[in-house]
PDB file of all heavy atoms in Angstrom:
ATOM      1  N   ILE A 118     -83.672 -53.767  64.483  1.00 83.00           N
ATOM      2  CA  ILE A 118     -83.104 -54.154  63.151  1.00 83.00           C
ATOM      3  C   ILE A 118     -81.705 -54.259  63.127  1.00 83.00           C
ATOM      4  O   ILE A 118     -81.089 -55.231  62.670  1.00 83.00           O
ATOM      5  CB  ILE A 118     -83.696 -53.247  62.127  1.00 83.00           C
ATOM      6  CG1 ILE A 118     -85.202 -53.305  61.971  1.00 83.00           C
ATOM      7  CG2 ILE A 118     -83.058 -53.495  60.846  1.00 83.00           C
ATOM      8  CD1 ILE A 118     -85.919 -52.297  61.202  1.00 83.00           C
ATOM      9  N   ASN A 120     -79.237 -53.801  65.683  1.00 87.00           N
ATOM     10  CA  ASN A 120     -78.439 -54.274  66.772  1.00 87.00           C
ATOM     11  C   ASN A 120     -79.049 -55.596  67.395  1.00 87.00           C
ATOM     12  O   ASN A 120     -78.500 -56.091  68.479  1.00 87.00           O
ATOM     13  CB  ASN A 120     -78.132 -53.212  67.928  1.00 87.00           C
ATOM     14  CG  ASN A 120     -77.593 -51.973  67.263  1.00 87.00           C
ATOM     15  OD1 ASN A 120     -76.591 -52.056  66.563  1.00 87.00           O
ATOM     16  ND2 ASN A 120     -78.199 -50.818  67.595  1.00 87.00           N
ATOM     17  N   PHE A 123     -83.794 -54.477  71.713  1.00 84.00           N
ATOM     18  CA  PHE A 123     -85.001 -53.724  71.851  1.00 84.00           C
ATOM     19  C   PHE A 123     -85.480 -53.605  73.191  1.00 84.00           C
ATOM     20  O   PHE A 123     -85.226 -54.528  74.036  1.00 84.00           O
ATOM     21  CB  PHE A 123     -86.122 -54.134  70.808  1.00 84.00           C
ATOM     22  CG  PHE A 123     -86.601 -55.478  71.167  1.00 84.00           C
ATOM     23  CD1 PHE A 123     -87.803 -55.618  71.839  1.00 84.00           C
ATOM     24  CD2 PHE A 123     -85.847 -56.659  70.788  1.00 84.00           C
ATOM     25  CE1 PHE A 123     -88.300 -56.842  72.160  1.00 84.00           C
ATOM     26  CE2 PHE A 123     -86.435 -57.939  71.043  1.00 84.00           C
ATOM     27  CZ  PHE A 123     -87.679 -58.057  71.794  1.00 84.00           C
ATOM     28  N   SER A 195     -81.006 -30.646 108.104  1.00 95.00           N
ATOM     29  CA  SER A 195     -79.585 -31.025 108.182  1.00 95.00           C
ATOM     30  C   SER A 195     -79.322 -32.177 107.232  1.00 95.00           C
ATOM     31  O   SER A 195     -78.187 -32.732 107.362  1.00 95.00           O
ATOM     32  CB  SER A 195     -79.273 -31.399 109.586  1.00 95.00           C
ATOM     33  OG  SER A 195     -79.403 -30.242 110.503  1.00 95.00           O
ATOM     34  N   LEU A 259    -105.282 -37.953  85.928  1.00 92.00           N
ATOM     35  CA  LEU A 259    -105.819 -36.652  86.444  1.00 92.00           C
ATOM     36  C   LEU A 259    -106.689 -36.898  87.635  1.00 92.00           C
ATOM     37  O   LEU A 259    -106.820 -35.910  88.491  1.00 92.00           O
ATOM     38  CB  LEU A 259    -106.462 -35.880  85.323  1.00 92.00           C
ATOM     39  CG  LEU A 259    -105.659 -35.351  84.135  1.00 92.00           C
ATOM     40  CD1 LEU A 259    -106.409 -34.691  83.134  1.00 92.00           C
ATOM     41  CD2 LEU A 259    -104.520 -34.412  84.786  1.00 92.00           C
TER      42      LEU A 259
END
Side-chain angles (χ1 to χ4, degrees):
I118 292 172
N120 302 315
F123 63 98
S195 299
L259 291 179

